Amino acid sequence: MEKDSEILKQLKSINGKLDILINLTRLSAPKQKPTKEEEKIFSLCNMKNTVADMIEKTGKKRGNVEVVLISLRNKSLINSNNIKDKETGKRKTVYSKV
């Protein structure tokens, strides 16, 4: 039991160091740009549009919009933000450029 605890502690330490290395690698890599296909969705990342809004404005299917958002997030070009909708008072996820 004690041995398992020590192994878990070491794995968490390694994971933290890997996170630091990944972040340093991203900082040293040249900034990526959206592709032509991603540009439509990227232009809608203005802290106003939800996935549903992007589907309506681009005519793309939900899966396609979500794949593009994941790609843009992986390129560190956008962030997702949970905000309170002024009209409904409900929380919603919108996207912003980094």
Side-chain angles (χ1 to χ4, degrees):
M1 194 76 160
E2 192 174 310
K3 189 175 184 179
D4 291 340
S5 177
E6 183 61 32
I7 291 171
L8 185 60
K9 185 178 175 182
Q10 288 178 2
L11 287 173
K12 286 182 180 181
S13 174
I14 291 169
N15 188 46
K17 291 174 183 174
L18 286 173
D19 286 343
I20 292 169
L21 288 173
I22 290 168
N23 288 333
L24 288 172
T25 302
R26 283 186 180 154
L27 289 173
S28 64
K31 185 155 180 152
Q32 296 188 25
K33 296 180 181 180
T35 64
K36 287 184 181 183
E37 184 65 28
E38 295 169 337
E39 191 60 48
K40 287 180 185 178
I41 300 295
F42 185 65
S43 68
L44 296 173
C45 295
N46 57 7
M47 288 291 291
K48 295 178 183 174
N49 294 298
T50 63
V51 170
D53 297 330
M54 293 177 187
I55 292 167
E56 184 180 322
K57 292 176 181 181
T58 63
K60 294 180 179 286
K61 293 184 179 184
R62 174 174 288 277
N64 294 344
V65 170
E66 290 173 346
V67 166
V68 170
L69 289 171
I70 290 168
S71 175
L72 292 170
R73 190 178 297 121
N74 288 341
K75 292 179 178 181
S76 299
L77 295 175
I78 65 167
N79 287 321
S80 57
N81 308 278
N82 285 318
I83 63 169
K84 191 173 187 178
D85 189 296
K86 292 177 183 177
E87 296 173 12
T88 65
K90 295 181 180 178
R91 309 259 341 139
K92 66 179 184 177
T93 302
V94 295
Y95 300 86
S96 62
K97 297 174 185 166
V98 175

